[in-house]
Amino acid sequence: MSRGLMRVLAVVALLGGAATGITGCYTACPAIGYVNGVVVDVSVFPETAAVQFCVDAECSPAPGEDETVSTNLFAASRQDDRTWRLMFDMSTPEDVDIRLFDAQGTVIHESEEPIAWTHADGPCGGPSTADPLILEP
């Protein structure tokens, strides 16, 4: 085989390998967001009818409040009689202020709770998870 042909084959092999390496290492992530959440166990407060939570100065709506631009990033939803799910935007706050309300809208419990997040480690990330927060009187 001629020296010129060997050079051409070597260049083709190098370029092919480089192209394969480049395309093999690139991951296209979808342009969608995700919501981080944590479960709150309120079983020691059986009269809980609503939950509000705040991170810094941003809060989910309190009972009777409509969502606003500053509250629509957070939501609390009842899972069953003893648990609620707090949903954050894509943030993972270190702690959260939680308020529990009875059916009349009276605050029956208020506390600051730390959250220990486990972060997704895939190439595109994903929602973070946390152990449930168990409220105590």
Coordinates of all heavy atoms in Angstrom, one line a residue, residues 2-94:
S2 N 0.5 2.2 -0.8 CA 1.4 3.4 -0.9 C 1.3 4.2 0.3 O 0.3 4.2 1.1 CB 1.0 4.2 -2.2 OG -0.2 4.8 -1.9
R3 N 2.3 5.0 0.5 CA 2.4 5.9 1.6 C 1.3 6.9 1.6 O 0.7 7.3 2.6 CB 3.8 6.6 1.6 CG 4.1 7.3 2.8 CD 5.5 7.7 2.9 NE 6.0 7.2 4.1 CZ 7.2 7.4 4.5 NH1 8.1 7.9 3.7 NH2 7.6 7.0 5.7
G4 N 0.9 7.5 0.5 CA -0.1 8.5 0.3 C -1.5 7.9 0.7 O -2.3 8.5 1.3
L5 N -1.7 6.6 0.2 CA -3.0 6.0 0.6 C -3.1 5.7 2.1 O -4.2 5.9 2.7 CB -3.1 4.7 -0.2 CG -4.4 3.9 0.0 CD1 -5.7 4.8 -0.4 CD2 -4.4 2.6 -0.8
M6 N -2.0 5.4 2.7 CA -2.0 5.2 4.1 C -2.3 6.5 4.9 O -3.0 6.5 5.9 CB -0.7 4.6 4.6 CG -0.5 3.1 4.2 SD 0.9 2.3 4.8 CE 0.7 2.3 6.5
R7 N -1.8 7.6 4.4 CA -2.0 8.9 5.0 C -3.5 9.2 4.9 O -4.1 9.7 5.9 CB -1.2 10.0 4.4 CG 0.2 9.9 4.9 CD 1.0 11.1 4.3 NE 2.4 11.0 4.7 CZ 3.4 11.6 4.1 NH1 3.2 12.3 3.0 NH2 4.6 11.4 4.5
V8 N -4.1 9.0 3.7 CA -5.5 9.3 3.5 C -6.3 8.4 4.4 O -7.3 8.9 5.1 CB -5.9 9.1 2.0 CG1 -7.4 9.1 1.8 CG2 -5.2 10.1 1.2
L9 N -6.1 7.2 4.5 CA -6.8 6.3 5.4 C -6.7 6.7 6.9 O -7.6 6.6 7.7 CB -6.4 4.8 5.2 CG -6.8 4.2 3.9 CD1 -6.2 2.8 3.8 CD2 -8.3 4.1 3.8
A10 N -5.5 7.1 7.3 CA -5.2 7.6 8.7 C -6.1 8.8 9.0 O -6.7 8.9 10.0 CB -3.8 7.8 8.9
V11 N -6.1 9.7 8.0 CA -6.9 11.0 8.2 C -8.3 10.6 8.3 O -9.1 11.2 9.2 CB -6.6 12.0 7.1 CG1 -7.6 13.1 7.1 CG2 -5.1 12.5 7.2
V12 N -8.8 9.8 7.4 CA -10.2 9.4 7.5 C -10.6 8.7 8.8 O -11.6 9.0 9.4 CB -10.6 8.5 6.3 CG1 -11.9 7.8 6.4 CG2 -10.5 9.2 5.0
A13 N -9.7 7.8 9.3 CA -9.9 7.2 10.5 C -9.9 8.1 11.7 O -10.8 8.1 12.6 CB -8.8 6.1 10.8
L14 N -9.0 9.1 11.7 CA -9.0 10.1 12.8 C -10.2 11.0 12.7 O -10.8 11.2 13.8 CB -7.7 11.0 12.6 CG -6.4 10.3 13.1 CD1 -5.3 11.2 12.7 CD2 -6.4 10.0 14.5
L15 N -10.6 11.4 11.6 CA -11.8 12.3 11.5 C -13.1 11.5 11.8 O -14.0 12.0 12.5 CB -11.9 12.9 10.0 CG -10.9 13.9 9.7 CD1 -11.1 14.3 8.2 CD2 -11.0 15.1 10.6
G16 N -13.2 10.3 11.4 CA -14.3 9.4 11.8 C -14.4 9.2 13.3 O -15.4 9.3 13.9
G17 N -13.2 8.9 13.9 CA -13.2 8.7 15.3 C -13.5 10.0 16.1 O -14.3 10.0 17.1
A18 N -13.0 11.1 15.6 CA -13.3 12.4 16.2 C -14.8 12.7 16.1 O -15.5 13.1 17.1 CB -12.5 13.5 15.6
A19 N -15.4 12.5 14.9 CA -16.8 12.7 14.8 C -17.7 11.8 15.6 O -18.7 12.3 16.2 CB -17.2 12.6 13.3
T20 N -17.3 10.6 15.7 CA -18.0 9.6 16.6 C -17.9 10.1 18.1 O -18.9 10.0 18.8 CB -17.5 8.2 16.4 OG1 -17.6 7.9 15.0 CG2 -18.3 7.2 17.3
G21 N -16.7 10.4 18.4 CA -16.5 10.9 19.8 C -17.3 12.1 20.2 O -17.9 12.2 21.3
I22 N -17.3 13.1 19.3 CA -18.1 14.3 19.5 C -19.6 14.0 19.6 O -20.2 14.4 20.5 CB -17.8 15.3 18.4 CG1 -16.4 15.8 18.6 CG2 -18.8 16.5 18.5 CD1 -15.9 16.7 17.4
T23 N -20.1 13.3 18.7 CA -21.6 13.0 18.7 C -21.9 12.0 19.8 O -23.0 12.1 20.3 CB -22.1 12.5 17.3 OG1 -21.3 11.3 17.1 CG2 -21.9 13.5 16.2
G24 N -21.0 11.2 20.2 CA -21.3 10.2 21.3 C -21.3 10.9 22.6 O -21.9 10.4 23.6
C25 N -20.6 12.0 22.8 CA -20.5 12.7 24.1 C -21.6 13.7 24.3 O -21.7 14.2 25.4 CB -19.1 13.3 24.3 SG -17.8 12.1 24.4
Y26 N -22.3 14.1 23.3 CA -23.2 15.2 23.3 C -24.6 14.6 23.7 O -25.1 13.7 23.0 CB -23.3 16.0 22.0 CG -24.3 17.1 22.1 CD1 -24.0 18.2 22.8 CD2 -25.5 17.0 21.4 CE1 -25.0 19.3 22.8 CE2 -26.4 18.0 21.4 CZ -26.2 19.1 22.2 OH -27.1 20.1 22.2
T27 N -25.2 15.2 24.7 CA -26.6 14.8 25.1 C -27.5 16.0 24.9 O -27.3 17.0 25.5 CB -26.6 14.3 26.5 OG1 -25.7 13.2 26.7 CG2 -28.0 13.9 26.9
A28 N -28.5 15.8 24.1 CA -29.5 16.9 23.9 C -30.6 16.7 25.0 O -31.3 15.7 25.0 CB -30.1 16.8 22.5
C29 N -30.6 17.7 25.9 CA -31.6 17.7 26.9 C -32.9 18.4 26.5 O -32.8 19.4 25.8 CB -31.1 18.4 28.2 SG -29.6 17.5 28.9
P30 N -34.1 17.8 26.8 CA -35.3 18.5 26.4 C -35.4 19.8 27.2 O -35.0 20.0 28.3 CB -36.4 17.5 26.9 CG -35.7 16.7 27.9 CD -34.3 16.7 27.6
A31 N -36.1 20.8 26.5 CA -36.3 22.1 27.1 C -37.5 22.1 28.0 O -38.4 22.9 27.8 CB -36.4 23.1 26.0
I32 N -37.6 21.2 28.9 CA -38.7 21.2 29.9 C -38.2 21.4 31.3 O -37.1 21.0 31.6 CB -39.6 19.9 29.7 CG1 -38.7 18.7 30.0 CG2 -40.3 19.9 28.4 CD1 -39.5 17.4 30.1
G33 N -39.0 21.9 32.1 CA -38.6 22.0 33.5 C -39.2 20.9 34.3 O -39.8 20.0 33.8
Y34 N -38.9 20.9 35.6 CA -39.4 19.9 36.5 C -39.7 20.6 37.8 O -39.3 21.7 38.1 CB -38.4 18.8 36.7 CG -37.0 19.2 36.9 CD1 -36.6 19.5 38.2 CD2 -36.1 19.4 35.9 CE1 -35.3 20.0 38.5 CE2 -34.8 19.8 36.2 CZ -34.4 20.1 37.4 OH -33.2 20.5 37.7
V35 N -40.4 19.9 38.7 CA -40.8 20.5 40.0 C -40.2 19.6 41.1 O -40.4 18.4 41.0 CB -42.4 20.5 40.1 CG1 -42.8 21.0 41.4 CG2 -43.0 21.4 39.0
N36 N -39.6 20.2 42.0 CA -39.1 19.5 43.2 C -40.1 19.5 44.2 O -40.8 20.5 44.4 CB -37.8 20.2 43.7 CG -36.7 20.1 42.7 OD1 -36.4 19.1 42.1 ND2 -36.0 21.2 42.4
G37 N -40.2 18.5 45.0 CA -41.2 18.4 46.0 C -40.8 17.6 47.2 O -39.8 16.8 47.2
V38 N -41.5 17.8 48.3 CA -41.2 17.1 49.5 C -42.6 16.8 50.2 O -43.5 17.6 50.2 CB -40.3 17.9 50.5 CG1 -40.9 19.2 50.9 CG2 -39.9 17.0 51.7
V39 N -42.7 15.6 50.8 CA -43.9 15.3 51.5 C -43.8 15.7 53.0 O -42.7 15.6 53.6 CB -44.1 13.7 51.5 CG1 -45.2 13.3 52.4 CG2 -44.4 13.3 50.0
V40 N -44.9 16.2 53.5 CA -44.9 16.7 54.9 C -46.0 15.8 55.7 O -47.1 15.8 55.3 CB -45.3 18.2 55.0 CG1 -45.4 18.6 56.5 CG2 -44.3 19.0 54.3
D41 N -45.5 15.2 56.7 CA -46.4 14.4 57.6 C -47.0 15.2 58.7 O -46.2 15.8 59.5 CB -45.6 13.2 58.2 CG -46.4 12.3 59.0 OD1 -47.4 12.7 59.6 OD2 -46.0 11.1 59.0
V42 N -48.3 15.5 58.6 CA -49.0 16.3 59.6 C -49.9 15.5 60.5 O -50.8 16.0 61.2 CB -49.8 17.4 58.9 CG1 -48.9 18.3 58.1 CG2 -50.9 16.8 58.1
S43 N -49.6 14.2 60.7 CA -50.4 13.3 61.4 C -50.6 13.7 62.9 O -51.7 13.3 63.4 CB -50.0 11.8 61.3 OG -48.6 11.7 61.7
V44 N -49.7 14.4 63.5 CA -49.9 14.8 64.9 C -50.8 16.0 65.0 O -51.2 16.5 66.0 CB -48.6 15.1 65.6 CG1 -47.8 13.8 65.7 CG2 -47.8 16.2 65.0
F45 N -51.2 16.6 63.8 CA -52.2 17.7 63.7 C -53.4 17.2 62.9 O -53.5 17.7 61.7 CB -51.5 18.9 63.1 CG -50.3 19.4 63.9 CD1 -49.0 19.1 63.5 CD2 -50.5 20.2 65.0 CE1 -47.9 19.5 64.2 CE2 -49.3 20.6 65.8 CZ -48.1 20.3 65.3
P46 N -54.2 16.4 63.4 CA -55.3 15.8 62.6 C -56.3 16.9 62.1 O -57.0 16.6 61.1 CB -56.0 14.8 63.5 CG -55.6 15.2 64.8 CD -54.2 15.8 64.7
E47 N -56.4 18.0 62.7 CA -57.3 19.1 62.3 C -56.8 19.9 61.2 O -57.4 20.9 60.8 CB -57.7 19.9 63.6 CG -56.5 20.7 64.1 CD -55.6 20.0 65.1 OE1 -55.6 18.7 65.2 OE2 -54.9 20.6 65.8
T48 N -55.6 19.6 60.6 CA -55.1 20.3 59.5 C -56.0 20.3 58.3 O -56.4 19.3 57.8 CB -53.7 19.8 59.1 OG1 -52.8 19.9 60.2 CG2 -53.1 20.6 57.9
A49 N -56.4 21.5 57.9 CA -57.3 21.7 56.7 C -56.6 22.3 55.5 O -57.0 22.2 54.4 CB -58.5 22.5 57.1
A50 N -55.5 23.0 55.8 CA -54.7 23.7 54.8 C -53.3 23.9 55.2 O -53.0 24.0 56.4 CB -55.3 25.1 54.5
V51 N -52.4 24.0 54.3 CA -51.0 24.2 54.5 C -50.5 25.3 53.6 O -50.8 25.4 52.5 CB -50.2 22.9 54.2 CG1 -48.7 23.1 54.3 CG2 -50.6 21.7 55.1
Q52 N -49.7 26.2 54.3 CA -49.0 27.2 53.5 C -47.5 27.1 53.9 O -47.1 26.7 55.0 CB -49.4 28.6 54.0 CG -48.7 29.7 53.2 CD -49.0 31.1 53.8 OE1 -49.1 31.3 55.0 NE2 -49.1 32.1 52.9
F53 N -46.6 27.3 52.9 CA -45.2 27.3 53.2 C -44.5 28.5 52.5 O -45.0 29.0 51.5 CB -44.6 26.0 52.8 CG -44.6 25.7 51.3 CD1 -43.5 25.9 50.5 CD2 -45.7 25.1 50.7 CE1 -43.5 25.7 49.2 CE2 -45.7 24.8 49.4 CZ -44.6 25.1 48.6
C54 N -43.4 28.9 53.0 CA -42.7 30.0 52.5 C -41.2 29.7 52.4 O -40.6 28.9 53.3 CB -42.8 31.2 53.4 SG -44.5 31.8 53.7
V55 N -40.6 30.2 51.4 CA -39.1 30.2 51.2 C -38.7 31.6 51.0 O -39.1 32.2 50.1 CB -38.7 29.3 50.0 CG1 -37.2 29.3 49.8 CG2 -39.2 27.9 50.2
D56 N -37.8 32.1 51.9 CA -37.5 33.5 51.9 C -38.7 34.3 52.0 O -39.5 34.1 52.9 CB -36.6 33.8 50.7 CG -35.3 33.1 50.7 OD1 -34.7 32.8 51.9 OD2 -34.8 32.7 49.7
A57 N -39.0 35.2 51.1 CA -40.2 36.0 51.1 C -41.3 35.5 50.2 O -42.3 36.2 50.1 CB -39.8 37.5 50.8
E58 N -41.1 34.4 49.6 CA -42.1 33.8 48.6 C -42.9 32.7 49.3 O -42.3 31.8 49.9 CB -41.4 33.2 47.4 CG -40.5 34.2 46.7 CD -41.3 35.3 46.0 OE1 -42.4 35.1 45.6 OE2 -40.8 36.5 46.0
C59 N -44.2 32.8 49.3 CA -45.1 31.9 49.9 C -46.1 31.3 49.0 O -46.5 31.9 48.0 CB -45.8 32.5 51.1 SG -44.8 33.2 52.4
S60 N -46.5 30.1 49.3 CA -47.7 29.5 48.6 C -48.9 30.2 49.1 O -48.9 30.9 50.2 CB -47.8 28.0 48.9 OG -48.0 27.8 50.3
P61 N -50.0 30.2 48.4 CA -51.2 30.9 48.9 C -51.7 30.4 50.3 O -51.7 29.2 50.5 CB -52.3 30.6 47.8 CG -51.5 30.2 46.6 CD -50.3 29.5 47.1
A62 N -52.1 31.3 51.1 CA -52.8 30.9 52.4 C -54.2 30.6 52.1 O -54.7 30.9 51.0 CB -52.7 32.1 53.4
P63 N -54.9 30.0 53.0 CA -56.3 29.7 52.8 C -57.1 30.9 52.4 O -57.0 32.0 53.1 CB -56.8 29.1 54.2 CG -55.6 28.6 54.8 CD -54.5 29.5 54.3
G64 N -57.9 30.8 51.4 CA -58.7 31.9 50.9 C -58.0 32.9 50.0 O -58.6 33.8 49.4
E65 N -56.7 32.7 49.8 CA -55.9 33.6 48.9 C -55.9 33.0 47.5 O -55.8 31.7 47.3 CB -54.5 33.8 49.3 CG -54.3 34.6 50.5 CD -52.9 34.8 50.9 OE1 -52.0 34.1 50.3 OE2 -52.6 35.7 51.8
D66 N -55.9 33.8 46.5 CA -55.7 33.4 45.1 C -54.3 33.4 44.8 O -53.5 34.1 45.4 CB -56.5 34.3 44.1 CG -58.0 34.2 44.3 OD1 -58.5 33.1 44.6 OD2 -58.7 35.2 44.1
E67 N -53.9 32.6 43.8 CA -52.5 32.6 43.3 C -52.2 33.9 42.7 O -53.0 34.6 42.1 CB -52.3 31.5 42.3 CG -52.2 30.1 42.8 CD -51.7 29.1 41.8 OE1 -51.5 29.5 40.6 OE2 -51.6 27.9 42.1
T68 N -50.9 34.4 42.9 CA -50.4 35.6 42.3 C -49.1 35.3 41.6 O -48.7 34.1 41.7 CB -50.2 36.7 43.4 OG1 -49.1 36.3 44.2 CG2 -51.4 37.0 44.2
V69 N -48.5 36.2 41.0 CA -47.3 36.0 40.3 C -46.2 35.5 41.3 O -45.4 34.7 41.0 CB -46.8 37.3 39.6 CG1 -45.4 37.2 39.1 CG2 -47.7 37.7 38.5
S70 N -46.3 36.0 42.6 CA -45.3 35.6 43.5 C -45.6 34.3 44.2 O -44.8 33.7 44.9 CB -45.0 36.7 44.6 OG -46.2 36.9 45.3
T71 N -46.8 33.8 44.2 CA -47.2 32.6 44.8 C -47.3 31.4 43.9 O -47.4 30.3 44.4 CB -48.5 32.7 45.6 OG1 -49.6 33.0 44.7 CG2 -48.5 33.8 46.7
N72 N -47.4 31.6 42.6 CA -47.7 30.5 41.7 C -46.5 29.6 41.5 O -46.6 28.6 40.8 CB -48.2 31.0 40.4 CG -47.2 31.8 39.6 OD1 -46.1 32.0 40.0 ND2 -47.7 32.2 38.4
L73 N -45.3 29.9 42.1 CA -44.2 29.0 42.0 C -44.3 27.8 43.0 O -43.5 26.8 42.9 CB -42.9 29.7 42.2 CG -42.6 30.8 41.1 CD1 -41.3 31.5 41.5 CD2 -42.5 30.2 39.7
F74 N -45.1 28.0 44.0 CA -45.2 27.0 45.1 C -46.6 26.6 45.2 O -47.6 27.3 45.0 CB -44.8 27.6 46.4 CG -43.4 28.2 46.4 CD1 -43.2 29.5 46.9 CD2 -42.3 27.5 46.0 CE1 -41.9 30.0 46.9 CE2 -41.0 28.0 46.0 CZ -40.8 29.3 46.5
A75 N -46.8 25.3 45.6 CA -48.2 24.7 45.8 C -48.1 23.7 46.8 O -47.1 22.9 46.9 CB -48.7 24.2 44.5
A76 N -49.1 23.6 47.6 CA -49.3 22.5 48.6 C -50.5 21.7 48.3 O -51.6 22.3 48.1 CB -49.4 23.1 50.0
S77 N -50.4 20.4 48.2 CA -51.6 19.6 47.9 C -51.7 18.5 48.9 O -50.7 17.8 49.2 CB -51.5 19.1 46.4 OG -50.4 18.3 46.3
R78 N -52.9 18.2 49.3 CA -53.2 17.1 50.2 C -53.0 15.8 49.5 O -53.6 15.6 48.4 CB -54.6 17.2 50.7 CG -55.0 16.1 51.7 CD -56.3 16.3 52.3 NE -56.1 17.3 53.3 CZ -56.8 17.4 54.4 NH1 -57.8 16.6 54.6 NH2 -56.5 18.3 55.3
Q79 N -52.3 14.9 50.1 CA -52.1 13.5 49.6 C -53.1 12.6 50.2 O -53.7 11.7 49.5 CB -50.7 13.0 49.8 CG -49.6 14.0 49.3 CD -49.7 14.0 47.7 OE1 -49.4 13.0 47.1 NE2 -50.0 15.2 47.2
D80 N -53.3 12.7 51.5 CA -54.2 11.9 52.3 C -54.5 12.6 53.6 O -54.1 13.8 53.7 CB -53.8 10.4 52.5 CG -52.4 10.3 53.2 OD1 -52.1 11.1 54.1 OD2 -51.6 9.4 52.8
D81 N -55.1 12.0 54.5 CA -55.5 12.6 55.8 C -54.3 13.1 56.6 O -54.4 13.9 57.5 CB -56.3 11.7 56.7 CG -57.7 11.6 56.1 OD1 -58.1 12.4 55.3 OD2 -58.4 10.6 56.5
R82 N -53.1 12.5 56.4 CA -52.0 12.8 57.2 C -50.8 13.4 56.5 O -49.8 13.7 57.1 CB -51.5 11.6 58.1 CG -51.3 10.4 57.3 CD -50.9 9.2 58.1 NE -50.2 8.3 57.2 CZ -48.9 8.1 57.3 NH1 -48.2 8.6 58.3 NH2 -48.3 7.3 56.4
T83 N -50.8 13.4 55.2 CA -49.7 14.0 54.4 C -50.1 15.0 53.4 O -51.2 14.9 52.8 CB -48.9 12.8 53.7 OG1 -49.7 12.1 52.8 CG2 -48.3 11.9 54.7
W84 N -49.2 15.9 53.2 CA -49.3 17.0 52.1 C -48.0 17.0 51.3 O -47.0 16.6 51.8 CB -49.5 18.4 52.8 CG -50.8 18.5 53.4 CD1 -51.3 18.0 54.6 CD2 -51.9 19.4 52.9 NE1 -52.6 18.4 54.8 CE2 -53.0 19.3 53.8 CE3 -52.0 20.2 51.8 CZ2 -54.1 19.9 53.7 CZ3 -53.2 20.9 51.7 CH2 -54.3 20.8 52.6
R85 N -48.1 17.4 50.1 CA -46.9 17.5 49.3 C -46.7 19.0 49.0 O -47.6 19.6 48.5 CB -47.1 16.7 48.0 CG -45.9 16.7 47.1 CD -45.9 15.6 46.1 NE -44.7 15.6 45.3 CZ -43.5 15.1 45.6 NH1 -43.4 14.6 46.8 NH2 -42.5 15.2 44.8
L86 N -45.5 19.4 49.3 CA -45.1 20.8 49.0 C -44.3 20.7 47.6 O -43.4 19.9 47.5 CB -44.2 21.3 50.1 CG -44.7 21.3 51.5 CD1 -43.7 21.9 52.4 CD2 -46.0 21.8 51.6
M87 N -44.7 21.5 46.7 CA -44.1 21.5 45.4 C -43.5 22.9 45.1 O -44.1 23.9 45.2 CB -45.1 21.2 44.3 CG -45.6 19.8 44.4 SD -47.0 19.4 43.4 CE -48.3 20.1 44.4
F88 N -42.2 22.9 44.9 CA -41.4 24.1 44.6 C -41.2 24.1 43.1 O -41.4 23.2 42.4 CB -40.0 23.9 45.3 CG -40.1 23.7 46.8 CD1 -40.2 22.4 47.2 CD2 -40.1 24.7 47.6 CE1 -40.3 22.2 48.6 CE2 -40.2 24.5 49.0 CZ -40.3 23.2 49.5
D89 N -40.8 25.3 42.6 CA -40.4 25.3 41.2 C -39.2 24.4 41.0 O -39.2 23.3 41.6 CB -40.2 26.8 40.8 CG -39.2 27.5 41.6 OD1 -38.6 26.8 42.5 OD2 -39.0 28.7 41.4
M90 N -38.2 24.8 40.3 CA -37.0 24.0 40.1 C -36.0 24.2 41.3 O -34.9 23.8 41.2 CB -36.4 24.3 38.8 CG -37.3 23.8 37.6 SD -36.7 24.2 36.0 CE -35.2 23.3 35.9
S91 N -36.4 24.9 42.3 CA -35.5 25.3 43.4 C -35.4 24.2 44.4 O -36.3 23.3 44.5 CB -35.9 26.6 44.0 OG -37.1 26.5 44.7
T92 N -34.3 24.2 45.2 CA -34.1 23.2 46.3 C -33.7 24.0 47.6 O -32.5 24.0 47.9 CB -33.1 22.2 45.9 OG1 -31.9 22.9 45.5 CG2 -33.5 21.3 44.9
P93 N -34.6 24.7 48.2 CA -34.3 25.5 49.4 C -33.8 24.6 50.5 O -34.1 23.4 50.7 CB -35.6 26.1 49.8 CG -36.7 25.2 49.3 CD -36.1 24.6 48.0
E94 N -32.9 25.2 51.3 CA -32.3 24.5 52.5 C -33.3 24.3 53.6 O -33.2 23.4 54.4 CB -31.1 25.2 53.0 CG -29.9 25.1 52.0 CD -28.7 25.8 52.5 OE1 -28.6 26.1 53.8 OE2 -27.8 26.1 51.7

